[in-house]
């Protein structure tokens, strides 16, 4: 039990290292949480740093979940423990210990877990992400569909129960983070439910994609 707890803690700490945040600071001198979607994710890096930086951040995000998941199997702690460590990395990515529990949405870290425990899940999720790139103003919707269908795909592929439950866990973590949106305030009244719907499906508060992705801090009037 101690080994399992330590590995899960390691997974969370690995996930908490936000390469998107570091990239924004080192490459542009900005806090990505104040720009565009406010997410510490590859997509926000793409819009406010560069495409190349997005690729590097994406690879590192995958790796920080792959490592603790692989260690769970390498240490002989079993598939469920390995998946728990990977999910902990995903949670750390979304609620970073070092950034006041802010973060991204965890798609890259989910892929990192899949590469170890369910390799065919990687092209499955990647295919949905590519579909999203064909409709950039609604790219978050195919990404969500990829995670929704992933447990069914894992079950159809005769994966162990732990893997199927792990896929459900990935979906749950992503949905909670989309709705929570780094604790961004919700409007009151009927608009509150409209915003929650957009957060869930489109992963943004505004119906206007261009104004949402171009947001930036106001200049200091002084």
């Amino acid at each position: 039990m101690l080994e399992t707890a330590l590995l899960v803690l390691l997974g969370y700490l690995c996930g908490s290292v936000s390469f998107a945040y570091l990239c924004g600071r080192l490459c542009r001198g900005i806090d990505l949480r104040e720009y565009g979607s406010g997410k510490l994710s590859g997509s926000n890096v793409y819009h406010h740093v560069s495409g190349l930086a997005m690729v590097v951040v994406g690879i590192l995000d995958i790796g920080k979940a792959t490592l603790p998941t692989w260690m769970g199997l390498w240490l002989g702690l079993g598939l469920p423990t390995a998946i728990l460590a990977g999910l902990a990395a995903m949670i750390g990515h979304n609620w970073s210990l070092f950034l006041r529990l802010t973060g991204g949405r965890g798609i890259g870290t989910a892929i990192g877990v899949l590469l170890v425990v369910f390799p065919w899940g990687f092209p499955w999720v990647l295919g949905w992400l590519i579909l999203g790139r064909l409709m950039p103003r609604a790219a978050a919707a195919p990404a969500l569909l990829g995670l929704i269908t992933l447990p069914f795909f894992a079950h159809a592929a005769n994966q162990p129960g732990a893997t199927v439950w792990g896929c459900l866990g990935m979906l749950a973590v992503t949905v909670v983070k989309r709705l929570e949106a780094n604790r961004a305030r919700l409007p009151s009244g009927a608009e509150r439910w409209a915003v929650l719907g957009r957060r869930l499906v489109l992963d943004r508060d505004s119906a206007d994609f261009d104004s949402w992705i171009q947001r930036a801090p106001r200049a200091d009037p002084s």
Side-chain angles (χ1 to χ4, degrees):
M1 290 298 295
L2 178 60
E3 289 179 330
T4 296
L6 289 175
L7 183 63
V8 170
L9 176 60
L10 174 65
Y12 176 71
L13 293 176
C14 286
S16 289
V17 178
S18 176
F19 294 108
Y21 176 82
L22 293 173
C23 178
R25 285 296 193 192
L26 295 174
C27 297
R28 289 283 309 280
I30 62 174
D31 185 341
L32 280 176
R33 293 173 295 179
E34 299 176 354
Y35 287 78
S37 65
K39 295 184 293 184
L40 295 174
S41 63
S43 61
N44 215 24
V45 170
Y46 172 78
H47 288 290
H48 295 281
V49 182
S50 72
L52 177 60
M54 177 195 70
V55 173
V56 174
V57 166
I59 292 172
L60 292 173
D61 282 347
I62 290 171
K64 70 183 183 182
T66 297
L67 175 62
T69 307
W70 172 79
M71 286 184 65
L73 298 180
W74 181 65
L75 292 171
L77 298 179
L79 179 62
T81 296
I83 292 173
L84 280 177
L87 287 176
M90 188 175 178
I91 291 171
H93 176 82
N94 290 2
W95 291 276
S96 172
L97 177 67
F98 310 121
L99 297 170
R100 299 181 181 179
L101 302 183
T102 57
R105 298 300 185 265
I107 301 295
T109 48
I111 287 175
V113 180
L114 291 172
L115 281 174
V116 178
V117 302
F118 180 31
W120 280 108
F122 165 62
W124 180 266
V125 174
L126 182 63
W128 286 97
L129 294 177
I130 292 173
L131 178 61
R133 297 307 302 171
L134 300 177
M135 41 192 296
R137 285 173 171 74
L144 180 63
L145 281 172
L147 290 178
I148 289 173
T149 55
L150 182 62
F152 298 99
F153 178 50
H155 179 71
N158 295 316
Q159 292 300 299
T163 301
V164 177
W165 281 104
C167 293
L168 286 169
M170 295 173 193
L171 173 61
V173 171
T174 300
V175 167
V176 170
K177 190 59 183 183
R178 283 193 180 198
L179 294 175
E180 183 250 5
N182 285 334
R183 298 186 300 283
R185 289 184 179 180
L186 284 166
S188 58
E191 181 62 17
R192 179 187 190 93
W193 298 105
V195 169
L196 282 172
R198 285 193 290 268
R199 284 184 181 182
L200 178 61
V201 178
L202 300 175
D203 200 13
R204 63 176 187 262
D205 288 8
S206 171
D208 185 344
F209 172 80
D210 292 323
S211 64
W212 179 254
I213 209 65
Q214 292 169 7
R215 293 187 308 163
R218 293 182 179 179
D220 188 346
S222 63

